[in-house]
Amino acid sequence: MRLPSMTIVRTAVLAAATLALGSALAASPAPSSYAGTETPTTRAAARTLLDVSDLDKGAPPSIAWSERRSGRTVIHGTDGSTTPVSNRLGQFAPMGSGYVVQTRAGRLTRWVGADGTPGRGEWRTGYGLAVSPQGQVVAFAGRAGRVWTIDQAGDRVFRFNRVPVTGPARAVAVTGENCQEGEGDPGFGCSIAVNGPRRAFYTSSHGIVDTVPHLRQTTTGRGRWLGGITSVSDFGTCSAMMRDWRVRWRTCDNVLSDISTDNRHVLGTPAYADGFGPQVLDILSTADGTVVRTFAASRDGSTATYFDEVWEDAAHVLVVTYQDGEWAVVRLGVDGSMEYAVAPRRGSIDTRSPFHLQTR
């Protein structure tokens, strides 16, 4: 094995980072009849109507979230602080004393301090940030397969060996909490799962670049778990969940999204995307793909659709919802409970959501 092939780029900022990551992938749907290693158990899951028109107000989000109001966008930190950022904010993740932020139009990625002061580095990237399980590394990718991370040291950016893609790449998952080989505890380096237009790859601090086995595209990852899409057709997608690079189960009912903080559950969005936004959200067992809870809109479409689904803790998911001309941040419990984390605000489907949740 050759020594790590990366360049350390020093910046004057503390803690910056762009997310990329990709050694833990998320799976997409595959039918329960799919022949394979293991298929999800077929049993009726507990079902909750996704009606968010009249909920109780609970505690504010315990993860960072952004809000756009009166032409100004701020990120609300978990300590009550507010950080001004660009109104074009697309994705963001806490890093060190500030945040890694990525814009929608132009897709520029940079680190900003808690007061909104930008770091000196700025990168033109593909869409998406990837974050390590403990939030110590944020990764991002750009054109021609370029991949970078910003780690917990806060003042350094690592550049990795490129993945073999020609167009924009997207970082999806990061494995490892320190990208400096042999440093700290544990000093095992890191690996980033990256999607190209047609194939999923990984690049590591060991200098290794290779394809991700079994998956065409990665959709989620956390620690030893990695999930993603295995096939795409006119009728939707099929996915697989892997642990230690071995397929544990497959599904064609869901595209796999965020994995819970205790690794016990994974979110499943619809296998076929259509309309303004998804109206069914499944919570699956990471171990075998069994659906343990479903949040679903009514058949007449009068209830909510959701965006930005992120695990808040091991038992709760935060989603940005739209229903009856109002945007809100709603807390969903694995037990089927629902409450507002951020109260509803009037808005239109013709304008983008005023709220965003951190990537984790």
Side-chain angles (χ1 to χ4, degrees):
M1 180 180 300
R2 58 196 178 91
L3 294 175
S5 176
M6 62 174 74
T7 302
I8 301 178
V9 182
R10 298 284 175 181
T11 70
V13 297
L14 215 134
T18 29
L19 0 106
L21 168 287
S23 187
L25 319 176
S28 4
S32 56
S33 59
Y34 195 109
T37 306
E38 192 174 322
T39 54
T41 304
T42 55
R43 72 165 182 254
R47 197 172 184 88
T48 300
L49 183 67
L50 193 59
D51 185 350
V52 303
S53 59
D54 186 20
L55 302 178
D56 292 334
K57 177 66 169 64
S62 62
I63 61 174
W65 59 285
S66 72
E67 177 182 29
R68 189 180 73 255
R69 186 188 293 270
S70 301
R72 180 172 179 263
T73 299
V74 298
I75 294 175
H76 294 266
T78 56
D79 59 357
S81 63
T82 58
T83 298
V85 291
S86 167
N87 278 334
R88 298 180 299 156
L89 180 68
Q91 289 195 9
F92 68 96
M95 175 52 60
S97 61
Y99 300 91
V100 177
V101 298
Q102 187 177 82
T103 61
R104 297 170 63 91
R107 293 180 179 167
L108 297 176
T109 299
R110 74 184 318 158
W111 180 86
V112 299
D115 62 355
T117 303
R120 290 186 300 179
E122 181 178 82
W123 299 267
R124 188 170 297 278
T125 62
Y127 179 74
L129 295 176
V131 183
S132 63
Q134 297 177 29
Q136 300 298 301
V137 177
V138 177
F140 57 100
R143 291 187 178 276
R146 295 180 177 88
V147 179
W148 301 266
T149 64
I150 299 175
D151 71 5
Q152 77 280 7
D155 65 345
R156 61 185 180 185
V157 176
F158 290 122
R159 186 169 63 231
F160 289 72
N161 282 351
R162 299 185 186 189
V163 296
V165 302
T166 55
R170 177 176 182 175
V172 180
V174 175
T175 299
E177 302 295 334
N178 191 332
C179 293
Q180 175 61 56
E181 292 287 327
E183 176 184 276
D185 181 23
F188 301 124
C190 69
S191 176
I192 300 98
V194 181
N195 285 339
R198 298 180 181 83
R199 195 71 178 85
F201 301 89
Y202 71 89
T203 181
S204 78
S205 55
H206 297 301
I208 299 171
V209 175
D210 205 347
T211 57
V212 173
H214 309 296
L215 305 178
R216 291 181 57 179
Q217 298 277 271
T218 59
T219 58
T220 191
R222 183 177 173 86
R224 300 163 75 179
W225 294 94
L226 192 64
I229 295 171
T230 58
S231 64
V232 180
S233 72
D234 291 340
F235 304 101
T237 58
C238 289
S239 299
M241 178 62 80
M242 299 191 297
R243 187 171 187 268
D244 295 331
W245 300 105
R246 299 182 64 181
V247 173
R248 294 296 298 269
W249 49 272
R250 303 172 185 269
T251 178
C252 291
D253 298 324
N254 299 104
V255 171
L256 300 183
S257 184
D258 203 28
I259 297 174
S260 64
T261 56
D262 62 359
N263 289 348
R264 294 183 59 190
H265 297 104
V266 59
L267 301 179
T269 63
Y272 184 84
D274 190 22
F276 173 61
Q279 295 185 321
V280 177
L281 178 65
D282 289 326
I283 299 176
L284 299 84
S285 165
T286 311
D288 61 10
T290 301
V291 179
V292 300
R293 170 71 59 180
T294 294
F295 292 89
S298 60
R299 293 191 177 185
D300 63 6
S302 61
T303 47
T305 188
Y306 67 90
F307 308 88
D308 275 20
E309 65 284 355
V310 179
W311 285 94
E312 182 181 32
D313 55 39
H316 299 93
V317 178
L318 292 177
V319 293
V320 175
T321 62
Y322 183 83
Q323 180 175 339
D324 295 334
E326 291 185 329
W327 293 93
V329 179
V330 174
R331 179 177 290 111
L332 309 177
V334 177
D335 61 0
S337 60
M338 297 193 301
E339 64 181 14
Y340 295 129
V342 178
R345 183 195 302 176
R346 296 298 299 177
S348 167
I349 62 174
D350 297 324
T351 59
R352 56 191 177 89
S353 167
F355 305 122
H356 282 292
L357 303 173
Q358 74 166 75
T359 301
R360 63 181 307 174

